[in-house]
Amino acid sequence: MPVEEFVAGWISGALGLVLGHPFDTVKVRLQTQTTYRGIIDCMVKTYRHESLLGFFKGMSFPIASIAMVNSVLFGVYSNTLLALTATSHRERRAQPPSYIHVFIAGCIGGFVQVYCLAPFDLIKVRLQNQTEPRARPPGSPPPRYRGPVHCAVSIFQEEGPRGLFRGAWALTLRDTPTMGIYFVTYEWLCRQSTRDGQDPSPARVLVAGGFAGIASWAVATPLDVIKSRLQMAGLKRGAYRGVLDCMVSSARQEGLGVFFRGLTINSARAFPVNAVTFLSYEYLLRSWG
Ligand SMILES: CN(C)C(=N)NCCC[C@H](N)C(=O)O
């Protein structure tokens, strides 16, 4: 099994992650807290209350973990395409795989990465939702979690081992089809106005990667809202009975618009993150021959 796709996926995931983390913090807060009037209000309050560091809360942990998850996604995707089409990454421009093969490989990559992603994503969401400033006024209560390890241990102790996989089912429903859409959009945009057999230019890779991110997140946002709520719900026992219950009670209480909460910020984040992810992934693999 070629491993360079896994390594390139890890490095490109880390680069994309640093760029996108501030957007991600605002998105998670908008989806799970009702104290903000919108993106700007959330950014202003976060900055005033927590300084610039507030936007980077919980980032060190995703760099190590979510970048590893990106490596699983790209590695499994590329190796599934190899199994389906018998072409390696460098042969695929000359012999492009069909879109159905790209879609299937993307879905399989998305499905496999969920089980690495679920505990890491849960910890990230819980840490991002802690709004206490770093320098706390004397006498104010400490944040519930002191950091990623403390958060993981507390969830394990309070909610059991299954607690670490809270929201995993919503994550599976979110990521399996959307990763298929992600890779199909990328391939389709790369192939437009690139001559057969040639590598797409860096500008085309950036645009194709950016729009692949936006297209997949547009489809993923409703289940992303549900996933984040189920992950936070572990703190309030018995809040939701499952994915469907969370969907129905969120829609009843807040209207159908709730499913699109975070869509604008998700799209603004998705373009630069995925443009950089695909550009670095493609160029690392090309430079390794
Ligand atoms: C809709 N979904 C879940 C995705 N398209 N995921 C793939 C993009 C991964 C990238 N690190 C990001 O966070 O945007």
Side-chain angles (χ1 to χ4, degrees), residues 70 73 174-175 178-179 182 213 216-217 220 269-270 273-274 277:
N70 202 62
L73 170 66
R174 185 195 80 173
D175 281 9
T178 51
M179 293 306 185
Y182 180 60
S216 59
W217 277 109
R269 173 191 163 279
V273 169
N274 292 290
T277 299

Side-chain angles (χ1 to χ4, degrees), residues 69-112:
V69 172
N70 202 62
S71 133
V72 172
L73 170 66
F74 278 75
V76 171
Y77 164 75
S78 190
N79 281 285
T80 306
L81 264 187
L82 175 65
L84 289 172
T85 64
T87 53
S88 68
H89 183 268
R90 64 186 72 84
E91 292 160 345
R92 276 180 214 138
R93 289 293 160 218
Q95 295 158 263
S98 70
Y99 289 117
I100 189 75
H101 281 147
V102 172
F103 183 75
I104 294 170
C107 291
I108 294 176
F111 181 80
V112 173

